[in-house]
Amino acid sequence: MKYSRIAVRLFANEGEEVFYDPVYHGRTLKVFGMDEFPDKAVGYFVEAYREKGYSTIVFDTKGTQPREGFDTVLEIEDTKPNGLDPIKFAVEGYFDPYTAATIVQTVYGLDRALTERLYSDILSGKVGSVPEALKAGEKYSEVIAESYSAIDQLLYSGDVPQLGNSVLVDFGKAHSITLVGTAFLVLAAAIEKRRNVMIVLNDAAVLSYTSAGGAGLPLLTKPMLGRVTVVASEYALDSLLNLAGPVLLLYHDPDVQSVVYEASGVPSGPMRKHVQKGEGAFIYRTPETINVETGHFRAKEQ
């Protein structure tokens, strides 16, 4: 078959090359594997799409992604100001004020009436940050205060970062899963509409563990022209398996491989080939069929 210009070679199968083509297979590629195998795949896709002229945005929970080639590197930590205040992001024009209000709603559990009130106060200029919303003396302030912590204060403190074309978000030194989820949601909203970009979520299960992080996941995995998202994880969670898009299954425990095959709709029998070290199984759908291509996936050699 003829592939588009943004197709990426995965491996050779019986002498024929196998490609992942976002145009044909779907804009979100899910990668599952144990230990370092997802990381190696991520590195391969980052380089492959850079060569194709795409900018790259990587959310890295492990702190293993090399920093070369990124315009902006954000080190998200529990113990320093991070500047990721959604209301300040709205003021800077990264997204609209209502998005900022709904992010606060998601993080702190505001009801619809309180969210609308906060939105009105943001529009009027009464509230210019989440800490100001906390001190505004409104009913939403009381709800925010119920779960607001010193870690939240550090997340929102500091200047809003300038996000370049290629961005690395390094969560390697962050220990609070709540902070990771909130930071991910804010940044996902800020880059949601970008095109001509390849976005990586690694480890996606960690990023989407909280309700805030889970709310950020669909912002970056919804199909969009000019965008590719690689969702990489060691954990085959339902929230990831149920995302639309093909699967690259790398070496993992047999039971996890079975879960991935089952969730992908691969029938029992010879199509469910056991994936060994250095191998991969590419599982993709057409409107009529389910297909599985296997081969050696050695990213460093490609």
Side-chain angles (χ1 to χ4, degrees):
M1 64 176 288
K2 184 178 180 180
Y3 292 98
S4 73
R5 71 172 186 85
I6 57 172
V8 173
R9 180 184 182 273
L10 297 179
F11 36 71
N13 184 358
E14 297 181 354
E16 292 192 11
E17 293 188 328
V18 176
F19 288 83
Y20 161 57
D21 188 346
V23 175
Y24 180 76
H25 298 120
R27 299 281 170 169
T28 297
L29 174 65
K30 298 166 287 186
V31 180
F32 297 103
M34 71 186 333
D35 295 338
E36 78 280 3
F37 295 104
D39 301 350
K40 290 181 178 179
V42 163
Y44 171 60
F45 287 116
V46 167
E47 292 303 318
Y49 278 98
R50 279 177 178 166
E51 292 176 2
K52 295 179 182 298
Y54 270 44
S55 59
T56 52
I57 298 176
V58 178
F59 293 89
D60 175 24
T61 66
K62 303 178 182 180
T64 57
Q65 175 65 38
R67 302 190 173 195
E68 293 77 12
F70 291 99
D71 305 318
T72 303
V73 176
L74 303 180
E75 293 184 333
I76 310 301
E77 299 181 29
D78 309 341
T79 56
K80 73 175 184 65
N82 293 286
L84 300 184
D85 187 314
I87 300 177
K88 290 182 180 178
F89 265 69
V91 172
E92 292 291 327
Y94 280 105
F95 42 70
D96 60 84
Y98 193 74
T99 297
T102 56
I103 290 174
V104 177
Q105 175 192 36
T106 302
V107 174
Y108 295 104
L110 304 183
D111 63 22
R112 180 179 297 181
L114 294 182
T115 303
E116 293 289 343
R117 178 62 185 175
L118 174 60
Y119 172 53
S120 176
D121 287 349
I122 296 172
L123 280 179
S124 67
K126 178 181 176 181
V127 170
S129 67
V130 177
E132 288 182 12
L134 176 68
K135 300 174 183 177
E138 299 287 346
K139 182 64 177 178
Y140 59 71
S141 305
E142 298 175 15
V143 177
I144 292 172
E146 290 177 2
S147 55
Y148 195 90
S149 69
I151 292 177
D152 293 33
Q153 184 69 28
L154 285 172
L155 177 64
Y156 304 135
S157 298
D159 296 331
V160 173
Q162 298 299 308
L163 303 180
N165 287 328
S166 291
V167 182
L168 171 62
V169 184
D170 182 356
F171 290 106
K173 296 180 182 177
H175 301 286
S176 168
I177 193 66
T178 302
L179 176 141
V180 169
T182 304
F184 174 56
L185 176 56
V186 173
L187 291 168
I191 65 173
E192 176 188 3
K193 297 180 181 179
R194 289 199 184 187
R195 296 178 186 264
N196 296 317
V197 61
M198 195 272 291
I199 301 171
V200 172
L201 314 181
N202 186 30
D203 189 298
V206 176
L207 290 168
S208 61
Y209 184 77
T210 63
S211 58
L217 187 63
L219 300 181
L220 302 183
T221 57
K222 64 182 179 182
M224 285 181 63
L225 294 175
R227 192 165 83 184
V228 181
T229 302
V230 176
V231 176
S233 182
E234 297 179 30
Y235 310 97
L237 303 184
D238 288 344
S239 59
L240 305 181
L241 290 168
N242 292 333
L243 294 173
V247 172
L248 177 60
L249 175 60
L250 305 176
Y251 179 69
H252 216 309
D253 285 343
D255 57 341
V256 177
Q257 292 191 28
S258 179
V259 167
V260 173
Y261 279 129
E262 185 72 25
S264 301
V266 179
S268 299
M271 288 184 71
R272 297 193 185 189
K273 182 180 178 182
H274 182 69
V275 179
Q276 308 284 354
K277 291 181 180 178
E279 295 179 344
F282 182 53
I283 308 165
Y284 64 94
R285 290 179 174 273
T286 70
E288 298 178 339
T289 64
I290 181 77
N291 303 276
V292 181
E293 305 277 1
T294 57
H296 290 276
F297 183 77
R298 293 190 174 91
K300 288 185 177 181
E301 298 176 10
Q302 300 182 32

